Amino acid sequence: DTEVTQTPKHLVMGMTNKKSLKCEQHMGHRAMYWYKQKAKKPPELMFVYSYEKLSINESVPSRFSPECPNSSLLNLHLHALQPEDSALYLCASSQDRAELFFGEGSRLTVL
Amino acid sequence: AQTVTQSQPEMSVQEAETVTLSCTYDTSESDYYLFWYKQPPSRQMILVIRQEAYKQQNATENRFSVNFQKAAKSFSLKISDSQLGDAAMYFCAYSSPYSGGGADGLTFGKGTHLIIQP
C-alpha cells in the first residue's frame, strides 16, 4: 500500500478539456511535488509546495496549474493540453528535504 | 548546479548473480543525500537505498548495498542474488539539504534498465 495516493490512475482527455489530477499524502509531510515523466526518461520536476510556499519550474507551461487546498493535498489542474503533454505524472512527498515518497502515478493521454 | 550521471543505459544479469550499477555525480556541496530508486513496469518509484554524505559507512538494505566514494563522487549500487522481481529502471538521485524547503526536489540520473535473465 502506498502512502501517497494519486487519482485517477489513467486519464484520457481532449485538447479542449479541463481535468484535474489529485494527490494526497498520509504521512504528515511538509513538502509535496509534481513530476512529469516521459517513457524511459527520468522524472522532471514541475512544482513544489513546501512549508506553505509554492515553487514553479519556469519551463512548465501555464496550462498546468497546481492547487494546494491543505498540507496533505496537492492537485494539478489541466487545461487546453497538447498531445506532447501525454506522460506519467508522479506526485511525491517528503519530510526534512531528504528522500521523496512517490505515488503510483497518473497516466495521462491527450488526444 | 548538481548533476548525476548514469553511464549504463541497460544492464543484463543472470538470475542469482550479482550486478553493479554505476552512478557518478558532481556537486560543490559537502553535505547531501544520495538515493537509488527502482521503477518497475508498474511505474511507482520505490526507494531502494539512501546514503548521507557525512556517513562514511556504506548503506545496505538486504541484498542491496552501495559503494560510496565521496572523493571520487561515485555512488554505485550492488544487487546480490538477483531475482526476477529486480527487473526495473534504476535511477540514481541527489538531494541537497540547502535547497530552501525542498524547492529543488531530486536531481535524477538518466536511469539504467536492468534485465534479469532466468
Side-chain angles (χ1 to χ4, degrees), chain B residues 28-54:
Chain B
S28 58
E29 296 172 333
S30 58
D31 191 19
Y32 46 86
Y33 304 97
L34 294 166
F35 310 97
W36 279 99
Y37 280 87
K38 168 186 177 181
Q39 189 176 35
S42 64
R43 77 195 187 195
Q44 185 177 9
M45 296 279 279
I46 301 166
L47 179 65
V48 175
I49 203 163
R50 157 192 171 142
Q51 175 82 43
E52 289 108 340
Y54 68 87

Side-chain angles (χ1 to χ4, degrees), chain A residues 4-73:
Chain A
V4 179
T5 305
Q6 291 187 238
T7 55
K9 288 186 168 47
H10 298 272
L11 178 63
V12 179
M13 61 186 291
M15 289 190 284
T16 59
N17 292 158
K18 284 186 181 180
K19 297 286 184 182
S20 298
L21 303 180
K22 298 184 185 301
C23 177
E24 183 174 15
Q25 58 97 0
H26 310 279
M27 294 175 281
H29 288 170
R30 298 301 300 272
M32 295 185 72
Y33 308 78
W34 276 109
Y35 282 85
K36 174 184 177 181
Q37 187 180 27
K38 290 286 206 178
K40 298 188 178 182
K41 298 289 186 182
E44 300 173 359
L45 184 63
M46 301 178 71
F47 303 102
V48 181
Y49 191 82
S50 177
Y51 291 88
E52 302 179 0
K53 179 182 175 184
L54 178 67
S55 300
I56 300 171
N57 183 333
E58 294 180 352
S59 67
V60 175
S62 59
R63 54 186 183 265
F64 295 91
S65 60
E67 178 204 12
C68 193
N70 59 57
S71 60
S72 64
L73 290 169

Side-chain angles (χ1 to χ4, degrees), chain A residues 15 36-39 44 61 63-64 80-89 108-111:
Chain A
M15 289 190 284
K36 174 184 177 181
Q37 187 180 27
K38 290 286 206 178
E44 300 173 359
R63 54 186 183 265
F64 295 91
L81 295 193
Q82 302 296 309
E84 60 265 28
D85 297 323
S86 298
L88 180 67
Y89 288 83
L108 174 66
T109 302
V110 181
L111 301 176

Side-chain angles (χ1 to χ4, degrees), chain B residues 13-14 16-20 78-82:
Chain B
V13 64
Q14 291 288 128
E17 295 190 346
T18 296
V19 63
T20 298
K78 185 171 82 171
I79 305 174
S80 304
D81 185 25
S82 298

Side-chain angles (χ1 to χ4, degrees), chain B residues 1-3 10-11 17-18 21 29 31-32 38 41 51 72 78 83 94 99-101 106 111 115-116:
Chain B
Q2 297 81 26
T3 59
E10 188 172 280
M11 292 282 285
E17 295 190 346
T18 296
L21 308 184
E29 296 172 333
D31 191 19
Y32 46 86
K38 168 186 177 181
Q51 175 82 43
K78 185 171 82 171
Q83 300 175 1
Y94 174 104
S99 64
L106 296 176
I115 298 167
I116 310 295

